[in-house]
Short mmCIF file of all heavy atoms in Angstrom, two decimals:
data_model
loop_
_atom_site.label_atom_id
_atom_site.label_comp_id
_atom_site.label_asym_id
_atom_site.label_seq_id
_atom_site.Cartn_x
_atom_site.Cartn_y
_atom_site.Cartn_z
N GLU A 159 124.85 100.41 97.80
CA GLU A 159 124.24 101.10 98.94
C GLU A 159 123.78 100.10 100.00
O GLU A 159 123.88 100.37 101.20
CB GLU A 159 123.06 101.96 98.46
CG GLU A 159 123.45 103.10 97.54
CD GLU A 159 124.32 104.16 98.20
OE1 GLU A 159 124.23 104.33 99.44
OE2 GLU A 159 125.10 104.82 97.50
N LEU A 160 123.29 98.96 99.56
CA LEU A 160 122.88 97.90 100.49
C LEU A 160 124.09 97.42 101.30
O LEU A 160 124.01 97.25 102.53
CB LEU A 160 122.27 96.74 99.71
CG LEU A 160 121.75 95.57 100.53
CD1 LEU A 160 120.50 95.96 101.31
CD2 LEU A 160 121.43 94.39 99.63
N LEU A 161 125.21 97.24 100.63
CA LEU A 161 126.44 96.81 101.30
C LEU A 161 126.89 97.85 102.32
O LEU A 161 127.28 97.52 103.45
CB LEU A 161 127.54 96.57 100.26
CG LEU A 161 128.78 95.83 100.73
CD1 LEU A 161 128.46 94.45 101.27
CD2 LEU A 161 129.80 95.74 99.60
N LYS A 162 126.81 99.13 101.95
CA LYS A 162 127.19 100.21 102.87
C LYS A 162 126.29 100.21 104.11
O LYS A 162 126.76 100.41 105.23
CB LYS A 162 127.09 101.57 102.17
CG LYS A 162 128.19 101.83 101.14
CD LYS A 162 127.95 103.16 100.42
CE LYS A 162 128.94 103.36 99.30
NZ LYS A 162 128.60 104.56 98.49
N LEU A 163 124.99 99.97 103.89
CA LEU A 163 124.05 99.93 105.01
C LEU A 163 124.40 98.77 105.95
O LEU A 163 124.47 98.95 107.17
CB LEU A 163 122.62 99.79 104.49
CG LEU A 163 121.52 99.58 105.53
CD1 LEU A 163 121.50 100.70 106.57
CD2 LEU A 163 120.15 99.45 104.86
N MET A 164 124.65 97.59 105.38
CA MET A 164 124.99 96.43 106.22
C MET A 164 126.30 96.65 106.96
O MET A 164 126.43 96.26 108.14
CB MET A 164 125.04 95.17 105.36
CG MET A 164 123.67 94.71 104.88
SD MET A 164 123.74 93.21 103.87
CE MET A 164 121.99 92.81 103.68
N GLU A 165 127.27 97.30 106.30
CA GLU A 165 128.55 97.59 106.98
C GLU A 165 128.32 98.55 108.16
O GLU A 165 128.94 98.40 109.22
CB GLU A 165 129.54 98.20 105.98
CG GLU A 165 130.12 97.18 105.01
CD GLU A 165 130.94 97.80 103.88
OE1 GLU A 165 130.90 99.06 103.74
OE2 GLU A 165 131.61 97.05 103.14
N SER A 166 127.44 99.53 107.98
CA SER A 166 127.13 100.47 109.06
C SER A 166 126.47 99.76 110.23
O SER A 166 126.78 100.04 111.40
CB SER A 166 126.22 101.59 108.56
OG SER A 166 126.85 102.35 107.56
N LEU A 167 125.55 98.84 109.93
CA LEU A 167 124.86 98.10 110.99
C LEU A 167 125.83 97.20 111.75
O LEU A 167 125.77 97.09 112.98
CB LEU A 167 123.71 97.29 110.40
CG LEU A 167 122.58 98.10 109.73
CD1 LEU A 167 121.58 97.18 109.06
CD2 LEU A 167 121.88 99.00 110.74
N GLN A 168 126.76 96.57 111.00
CA GLN A 168 127.77 95.73 111.65
C GLN A 168 128.69 96.58 112.53
O GLN A 168 129.03 96.19 113.65
CB GLN A 168 128.59 94.99 110.59
CG GLN A 168 127.80 93.88 109.90
CD GLN A 168 128.44 93.40 108.61
OE1 GLN A 168 129.57 93.74 108.30
NE2 GLN A 168 127.71 92.62 107.83
N ARG A 169 129.05 97.75 112.04
CA ARG A 169 129.89 98.69 112.81
C ARG A 169 129.23 99.06 114.13
O ARG A 169 129.90 99.15 115.17
CB ARG A 169 130.11 99.95 111.95
CG ARG A 169 130.84 101.09 112.64
CD ARG A 169 130.59 102.40 111.88
NE ARG A 169 129.21 102.83 112.00
CZ ARG A 169 128.59 103.63 111.12
NH1 ARG A 169 129.21 104.06 110.04
NH2 ARG A 169 127.33 103.99 111.33
N ASP A 170 127.88 99.24 114.10
CA ASP A 170 127.16 99.66 115.29
C ASP A 170 126.67 98.49 116.15
O ASP A 170 125.97 98.69 117.14
CB ASP A 170 125.96 100.54 114.89
CG ASP A 170 126.41 101.85 114.26
OD1 ASP A 170 127.60 102.19 114.37
OD2 ASP A 170 125.56 102.53 113.64
N GLY A 171 127.03 97.26 115.72
CA GLY A 171 126.63 96.08 116.49
C GLY A 171 125.13 95.83 116.49
O GLY A 171 124.57 95.31 117.45
N VAL A 172 124.46 96.19 115.39
CA VAL A 172 123.01 96.08 115.29
C VAL A 172 122.65 94.72 114.68
O VAL A 172 123.25 94.29 113.70
CB VAL A 172 122.45 97.23 114.41
CG1 VAL A 172 120.97 97.02 114.15
CG2 VAL A 172 122.70 98.57 115.08
N GLN A 173 121.65 94.06 115.27
CA GLN A 173 121.17 92.78 114.74
C GLN A 173 120.18 93.05 113.61
O GLN A 173 119.23 93.82 113.79
CB GLN A 173 120.48 91.99 115.84
CG GLN A 173 121.40 91.57 116.98
CD GLN A 173 122.39 90.50 116.56
OE1 GLN A 173 122.01 89.46 116.05
NE2 GLN A 173 123.67 90.76 116.75
N TYR A 174 120.39 92.44 112.46
CA TYR A 174 119.48 92.66 111.33
C TYR A 174 119.29 91.36 110.55
O TYR A 174 120.04 90.40 110.71
CB TYR A 174 120.02 93.76 110.41
CG TYR A 174 121.33 93.42 109.72
CD1 TYR A 174 121.35 92.79 108.48
CD2 TYR A 174 122.55 93.72 110.32
CE1 TYR A 174 122.55 92.46 107.85
CE2 TYR A 174 123.75 93.40 109.71
CZ TYR A 174 123.74 92.77 108.47
OH TYR A 174 124.93 92.44 107.86
N VAL A 175 118.27 91.35 109.69
CA VAL A 175 117.99 90.20 108.82
C VAL A 175 118.69 90.47 107.49
O VAL A 175 118.42 91.49 106.85
CB VAL A 175 116.46 90.05 108.60
CG1 VAL A 175 116.16 88.88 107.68
CG2 VAL A 175 115.75 89.88 109.93
N ASP A 176 119.58 89.58 107.05
CA ASP A 176 120.34 89.88 105.83
C ASP A 176 119.56 89.61 104.55
O ASP A 176 119.88 90.16 103.49
CB ASP A 176 121.70 89.16 105.82
CG ASP A 176 121.58 87.65 105.88
OD1 ASP A 176 120.46 87.15 106.09
OD2 ASP A 176 122.61 86.97 105.73
N LYS A 177 118.51 88.79 104.63
CA LYS A 177 117.61 88.61 103.48
C LYS A 177 116.25 88.13 103.99
O LYS A 177 116.19 87.44 104.99
CB LYS A 177 118.21 87.63 102.47
CG LYS A 177 118.54 86.25 103.02
CD LYS A 177 119.26 85.39 101.98
CE LYS A 177 119.63 84.05 102.60
NZ LYS A 177 120.40 83.20 101.71
N PRO A 178 115.16 88.54 103.34
CA PRO A 178 115.12 89.41 102.17
C PRO A 178 115.48 90.86 102.53
O PRO A 178 115.53 91.22 103.71
CB PRO A 178 113.65 89.32 101.75
CG PRO A 178 112.91 89.09 103.03
CD PRO A 178 113.81 88.21 103.84
N PHE A 179 115.68 91.68 101.51
CA PHE A 179 115.92 93.11 101.69
C PHE A 179 115.08 93.85 100.65
O PHE A 179 114.49 93.24 99.76
CB PHE A 179 117.41 93.44 101.56
CG PHE A 179 118.08 92.81 100.36
CD1 PHE A 179 118.00 93.39 99.11
CD2 PHE A 179 118.80 91.62 100.50
CE1 PHE A 179 118.61 92.80 98.01
CE2 PHE A 179 119.42 91.02 99.40
CZ PHE A 179 119.33 91.62 98.15
N TYR A 180 115.02 95.17 100.81
CA TYR A 180 114.14 95.97 99.96
C TYR A 180 114.89 97.13 99.32
O TYR A 180 115.83 97.69 99.92
CB TYR A 180 113.01 96.59 100.79
CG TYR A 180 111.95 95.64 101.27
CD1 TYR A 180 112.16 94.83 102.39
CD2 TYR A 180 110.71 95.55 100.62
CE1 TYR A 180 111.18 93.96 102.85
CE2 TYR A 180 109.72 94.68 101.08
CZ TYR A 180 109.96 93.90 102.19
OH TYR A 180 108.99 93.04 102.65
N ALA A 181 114.44 97.52 98.12
CA ALA A 181 114.82 98.80 97.52
C ALA A 181 113.53 99.60 97.38
O ALA A 181 112.46 99.04 97.17
CB ALA A 181 115.46 98.59 96.16
N ALA A 182 113.63 100.92 97.52
CA ALA A 182 112.45 101.78 97.40
C ALA A 182 112.81 103.00 96.55
O ALA A 182 113.86 103.60 96.72
CB ALA A 182 112.00 102.23 98.80
N GLY A 183 111.91 103.33 95.61
CA GLY A 183 112.11 104.49 94.75
C GLY A 183 110.92 105.42 94.84
O GLY A 183 109.77 104.97 94.88
N TYR A 184 111.20 106.73 94.88
CA TYR A 184 110.14 107.72 95.09
C TYR A 184 109.83 108.56 93.85
O TYR A 184 108.88 109.33 93.85
CB TYR A 184 110.55 108.67 96.22
CG TYR A 184 110.49 108.02 97.58
CD1 TYR A 184 111.51 107.17 98.02
CD2 TYR A 184 109.41 108.23 98.44
CE1 TYR A 184 111.45 106.55 99.26
CE2 TYR A 184 109.34 107.62 99.69
CZ TYR A 184 110.37 106.79 100.09
OH TYR A 184 110.31 106.16 101.31
N ASP A 185 110.62 108.45 92.79
CA ASP A 185 110.52 109.41 91.69
C ASP A 185 110.24 108.75 90.35
O ASP A 185 110.66 107.62 90.10
CB ASP A 185 111.83 110.21 91.58
CG ASP A 185 112.14 110.94 92.86
OD1 ASP A 185 111.28 111.70 93.32
OD2 ASP A 185 113.24 110.74 93.41
N SER A 186 109.57 109.51 89.47
CA SER A 186 109.34 109.05 88.11
C SER A 186 110.64 109.20 87.31
O SER A 186 111.52 109.97 87.69
CB SER A 186 108.22 109.86 87.46
OG SER A 186 108.76 111.00 86.81
N PRO A 187 110.76 108.51 86.18
CA PRO A 187 111.97 108.63 85.35
C PRO A 187 112.18 110.05 84.80
O PRO A 187 113.27 110.38 84.37
CB PRO A 187 111.73 107.65 84.20
CG PRO A 187 110.63 106.77 84.64
CD PRO A 187 109.81 107.55 85.61
N PHE A 188 111.11 110.87 84.83
CA PHE A 188 111.20 112.21 84.26
C PHE A 188 111.81 113.22 85.24
O PHE A 188 112.13 114.34 84.84
CB PHE A 188 109.82 112.70 83.82
CG PHE A 188 109.20 111.78 82.79
CD1 PHE A 188 108.20 110.89 83.15
CD2 PHE A 188 109.62 111.80 81.47
CE1 PHE A 188 107.64 110.04 82.22
CE2 PHE A 188 109.06 110.96 80.53
CZ PHE A 188 108.07 110.07 80.90
N LYS A 189 111.91 112.85 86.49
CA LYS A 189 112.51 113.77 87.47
C LYS A 189 114.02 113.62 87.40
O LYS A 189 114.56 112.53 87.61
CB LYS A 189 112.00 113.46 88.88
CG LYS A 189 112.48 114.48 89.90
CD LYS A 189 111.87 114.24 91.27
CE LYS A 189 112.38 115.26 92.26
NZ LYS A 189 111.90 115.01 93.63
N LEU A 190 114.71 114.70 87.09
CA LEU A 190 116.15 114.62 86.82
C LEU A 190 117.02 114.99 88.02
O LEU A 190 118.18 114.58 88.09
CB LEU A 190 116.50 115.53 85.63
CG LEU A 190 115.74 115.24 84.33
CD1 LEU A 190 116.15 116.21 83.24
CD2 LEU A 190 115.95 113.80 83.88
N THR A 191 116.49 115.79 88.95
CA THR A 191 117.32 116.25 90.08
C THR A 191 116.63 115.90 91.40
O THR A 191 115.43 115.63 91.44
CB THR A 191 117.54 117.77 90.00
OG1 THR A 191 116.25 118.42 90.00
CG2 THR A 191 118.30 118.15 88.74
N ASN A 192 117.44 115.95 92.46
CA ASN A 192 116.93 115.69 93.83
C ASN A 192 116.14 114.39 93.91
O ASN A 192 115.09 114.32 94.55
CB ASN A 192 116.05 116.85 94.32
CG ASN A 192 116.82 118.15 94.39
OD1 ASN A 192 117.98 118.17 94.81
ND2 ASN A 192 116.22 119.23 93.95
N ARG A 193 116.66 113.37 93.27
CA ARG A 193 115.97 112.08 93.29
C ARG A 193 116.20 111.39 94.63
O ARG A 193 117.23 111.57 95.27
CB ARG A 193 116.49 111.20 92.14
CG ARG A 193 116.14 111.75 90.76
CD ARG A 193 116.64 110.84 89.65
NE ARG A 193 116.00 109.53 89.70
CZ ARG A 193 114.77 109.27 89.24
NH1 ARG A 193 114.06 110.23 88.68
NH2 ARG A 193 114.26 108.05 89.33
N ARG A 194 115.22 110.60 95.04
CA ARG A 194 115.29 109.92 96.35
C ARG A 194 115.11 108.42 96.16
O ARG A 194 114.10 107.97 95.65
CB ARG A 194 114.19 110.47 97.27
CG ARG A 194 114.15 109.80 98.64
CD ARG A 194 113.02 110.38 99.45
NE ARG A 194 112.76 109.63 100.66
CZ ARG A 194 111.67 109.79 101.42
NH1 ARG A 194 110.75 110.67 101.08
NH2 ARG A 194 111.50 109.06 102.51
N ASN A 195 116.11 107.68 96.58
CA ASN A 195 116.07 106.22 96.57
C ASN A 195 116.46 105.72 97.95
O ASN A 195 117.17 106.42 98.69
CB ASN A 195 117.08 105.65 95.56
CG ASN A 195 117.03 106.36 94.23
OD1 ASN A 195 116.07 106.23 93.50
ND2 ASN A 195 118.07 107.13 93.91
N GLU A 196 116.04 104.52 98.28
CA GLU A 196 116.38 103.94 99.58
C GLU A 196 116.63 102.45 99.45
O GLU A 196 116.10 101.79 98.55
CB GLU A 196 115.23 104.16 100.57
CG GLU A 196 114.98 105.61 100.90
CD GLU A 196 113.72 105.83 101.71
OE1 GLU A 196 112.88 104.90 101.84
OE2 GLU A 196 113.55 106.96 102.20
N VAL A 197 117.43 101.92 100.38
CA VAL A 197 117.50 100.47 100.61
C VAL A 197 117.08 100.23 102.06
O VAL A 197 117.40 101.03 102.94
CB VAL A 197 118.91 99.89 100.32
CG1 VAL A 197 119.14 99.76 98.83
CG2 VAL A 197 120.02 100.70 100.98
N TRP A 198 116.33 99.14 102.25
CA TRP A 198 115.82 98.79 103.59
C TRP A 198 116.33 97.41 103.98
O TRP A 198 116.27 96.48 103.19
CB TRP A 198 114.30 98.72 103.61
CG TRP A 198 113.54 99.94 103.20
CD1 TRP A 198 114.03 101.19 102.92
CD2 TRP A 198 112.12 100.03 103.02
NE1 TRP A 198 113.01 102.04 102.58
CE2 TRP A 198 111.82 101.35 102.63
CE3 TRP A 198 111.07 99.12 103.16
CZ2 TRP A 198 110.51 101.78 102.38
CZ3 TRP A 198 109.77 99.53 102.90
CH2 TRP A 198 109.50 100.85 102.52
N VAL A 199 116.78 97.31 105.22
CA VAL A 199 117.13 96.02 105.82
C VAL A 199 116.27 95.88 107.07
O VAL A 199 116.14 96.82 107.86
CB VAL A 199 118.64 95.97 106.16
CG1 VAL A 199 118.95 94.76 107.02
CG2 VAL A 199 119.47 95.94 104.89
N LEU A 200 115.66 94.72 107.26
CA LEU A 200 114.73 94.54 108.37
C LEU A 200 115.45 94.29 109.69
O LEU A 200 116.49 93.64 109.73
CB LEU A 200 113.78 93.38 108.08
CG LEU A 200 112.93 93.53 106.80
CD1 LEU A 200 111.98 92.34 106.67
CD2 LEU A 200 112.15 94.84 106.78
N LYS A 201 114.86 94.81 110.75
CA LYS A 201 115.38 94.60 112.10
C LYS A 201 115.15 93.15 112.51
O LYS A 201 114.10 92.59 112.24
CB LYS A 201 114.66 95.54 113.07
CG LYS A 201 115.10 95.39 114.52
CD LYS A 201 114.32 96.35 115.41
CE LYS A 201 114.74 96.23 116.86
NZ LYS A 201 113.96 97.13 117.73
N LYS A 202 116.14 92.56 113.15
CA LYS A 202 116.00 91.19 113.65
C LYS A 202 115.22 91.22 114.94
O LYS A 202 115.58 91.90 115.90
CB LYS A 202 117.38 90.57 113.87
CG LYS A 202 117.34 89.08 114.09
CD LYS A 202 118.73 88.48 114.00
CE LYS A 202 118.67 86.97 113.94
NZ LYS A 202 119.99 86.36 113.77
#
């Protein structure tokens, strides 16, 4: 997902910081459906 995000930013000509980067999780292991995860890349 991080690679897909960076490819999208390159496609749009957006300047970004390639490292460090972040992953974010919103759900406990007990939640089985509609889980939400994110990857973050910082703006340059």
